[in-house]
């Protein structure tokens, strides 16, 4: 059987049985999603790479020590490790994350606008700036779910696993985040 067709669980078993090379397949399989979710939160390429490497060092150490027991849940387990490392970083730094895409560009500039006038560009930039400010005013738990869902493209199940809450709680936080953003936008329209 080819490694690419093996499940994560099968690859972990092979690794635990001494097949060191399967770790590269696991890493390649999930690197983009894990790195992107880290980068969206820290907005620094080098810091994201450091946290990503730290996460995989923890993964390897946990696997080697025989303490891995997340049967069939490899990706959510690694994402939770990475997420905890990001939280640790922000606790140390005490600063809020900015929201960017995997290549370092502002997520609000990802849409392509053709034949955009100077006035349209100014309006778009102001709208994105206002939206960013509003997102940063959300409570941390709501902001976290919004970023993970819309910018890291995680499912609510993955978000629930990473944040150690039920799916209903993750859904509720998203609903509150969107409602709060709507309220802030209405207040802005009135003023």
């Amino acid at each position: 059987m080819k490694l690419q067709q093996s499940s994560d669980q099968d690859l972990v078993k092979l690794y635990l049985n001494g097949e060191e090379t399967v770790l590269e397949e696991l890493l390649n399989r999930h690197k983009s999603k894990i790195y992107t979710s880290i980068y969206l939160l820290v907005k620094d390429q080098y810091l994201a790479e450091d946290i990503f490497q730290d996460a995989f060092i923890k993964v390897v150490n946990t696997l080697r020590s025989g303490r891995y027991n997340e049967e069939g849940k490899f990706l959510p387990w690694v994402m939770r490790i990475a997420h905890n490392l990001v939280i640790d970083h922000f606790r140390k730094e005490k600063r809020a994350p900015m929201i960017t895409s995997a290549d370092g560009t502002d997520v609000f500039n990802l849409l392509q606008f053709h034949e955009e006038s100077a006035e349209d560009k100014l309006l778009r930039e102001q709208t994105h700036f206002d939206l960013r400010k509003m997102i940063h005013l959300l409570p941390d738990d709501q902001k976290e779910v919004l970023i993970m869902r819309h910018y890291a493209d995680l499912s609510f199940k993955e978000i629930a696993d990473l944040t150690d809450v039920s799916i209903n709680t993750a859904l509720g936080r998203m609903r509150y985040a969107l409602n709060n953003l709507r309220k802030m936008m209405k207040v802005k329209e009135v003023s």
Side-chain angles (χ1 to χ4, degrees):
M1 183 190 286
K2 290 185 176 181
L3 290 182
Q4 291 85 359
Q5 296 168 341
S6 299
S7 70
D8 290 350
Q9 188 176 350
D10 290 339
L11 293 176
V12 168
K13 284 179 184 172
L14 285 170
Y15 180 76
L16 294 175
N17 289 328
E19 293 286 331
E20 300 270 331
T21 57
V22 299
L23 192 60
E24 186 177 348
E25 173 61 28
L26 278 169
L27 179 71
N28 290 336
R29 184 177 288 183
H30 300 299
K31 179 179 182 178
S32 178
K33 188 174 248 188
I34 297 164
Y35 175 83
T36 299
S37 69
I38 294 168
Y39 186 86
L40 287 169
L41 294 169
V42 301
K43 195 194 171 198
D44 179 295
Q45 176 185 349
Y46 300 108
L47 178 58
E49 289 171 3
D50 285 348
I51 291 173
F52 178 82
Q53 288 174 2
D54 289 347
F56 260 89
I57 289 169
K58 279 192 172 216
V59 166
V60 168
N61 289 339
T62 303
L63 289 173
R64 285 185 176 160
S65 70
R67 291 180 288 138
Y68 175 74
N69 61 1
E70 305 286 330
E71 200 160 306
K73 299 178 181 177
F74 181 77
L75 179 60
W77 174 65
V78 177
M79 294 287 278
R80 191 166 52 249
I81 290 171
H83 181 257
N84 288 340
L85 290 170
V86 169
I87 290 171
D88 291 347
H89 167 76
F90 284 121
R91 280 189 185 133
K92 289 177 196 165
E93 295 293 316
K94 292 192 178 176
R95 62 184 171 91
M98 295 299 289
I99 303 168
T100 58
S101 68
D103 65 358
T105 59
D106 190 314
V107 292
F108 298 104
N109 293 330
L110 292 178
L111 299 174
Q112 295 297 320
F113 292 89
H114 302 286
E115 307 285 331
E116 186 177 40
S117 71
E119 184 179 319
D120 288 341
K121 184 178 180 199
L122 269 173
L123 183 61
R124 178 178 50 83
E125 287 174 354
Q126 184 61 47
T127 302
H128 291 168
F129 176 77
D130 292 343
L131 183 57
R132 267 195 306 276
K133 279 184 13 187
M134 289 178 202
I135 289 171
H136 285 288
L137 292 173
L138 291 172
D140 287 343
D141 57 348
Q142 294 173 24
K143 179 173 34 179
E144 179 179 60
V145 171
L146 182 81
I147 290 169
M148 292 172 126
R149 178 72 185 123
H150 284 289
Y151 303 113
D153 200 29
L154 298 178
S155 70
F156 282 105
K157 168 94 174 85
E158 291 169 320
I159 293 168
D161 289 343
L162 284 172
T163 57
D164 214 18
V165 298
S166 71
I167 291 176
N168 285 338
T169 299
L171 287 165
R173 288 176 179 174
M174 177 61 110
R175 187 176 65 247
Y176 285 124
L178 295 174
N179 285 340
N180 285 333
L181 286 174
R182 280 187 203 104
K183 287 177 190 171
M184 286 186 246
M185 287 176 195
K186 281 183 182 174
V187 168
K188 178 141 180 62
E189 286 173 12
V190 171
S191 55

